[in-house]
Amino acid sequence: RPEGPPPGGAGRRGAARVTVAEQRSRARQFDVMSIPTLIVFRDGQAAHRIVGAKGKAQLLEELASFI
């Protein structure tokens, strides 16, 4: 399973899923306190965080500047 932000430089996109019950240290590393949590990384750093279930329209609106 992939872990953490995608490798590489600018323009790289990827996704990783962390199952909190199986990867508690990874969840702590990124301060995941609620499920679901979506973290957007820019230049290897967390740039935006979305916590809680959202509908497609709301997710797209919040992520518009990143996609």
Side-chain angles (χ1 to χ4, degrees), residues 26-43:
R26 183 66 62 177
R28 279 192 300 272
Q29 176 185 358
F30 293 108
D31 297 321
V32 174
M33 302 302 226
S34 298
I35 301 171
T37 296
L38 175 74
I39 305 171
V40 177
F41 290 86
R42 181 175 277 162
D43 298 324

Side-chain angles (χ1 to χ4, degrees):
R1 233 178 254 190
E3 297 180 348
R12 305 258 326 184
R13 293 184 184 158
R17 178 182 176 164
V18 173
T19 303
V20 174
E22 296 173 8
Q23 298 174 309
R24 289 187 176 120
S25 64
R26 183 66 62 177
R28 279 192 300 272
Q29 176 185 358
F30 293 108
D31 297 321
V32 174
M33 302 302 226
S34 298
I35 301 171
T37 296
L38 175 74
I39 305 171
V40 177
F41 290 86
R42 181 175 277 162
D43 298 324
Q45 301 295 317
H48 187 68
R49 177 180 296 258
I50 300 171
V51 179
K54 310 285 185 203
K56 180 179 178 179
Q58 189 174 3
L59 277 175
L60 290 173
E61 182 179 322
E62 288 196 46
L63 296 173
S65 64
F66 298 100
I67 54 175

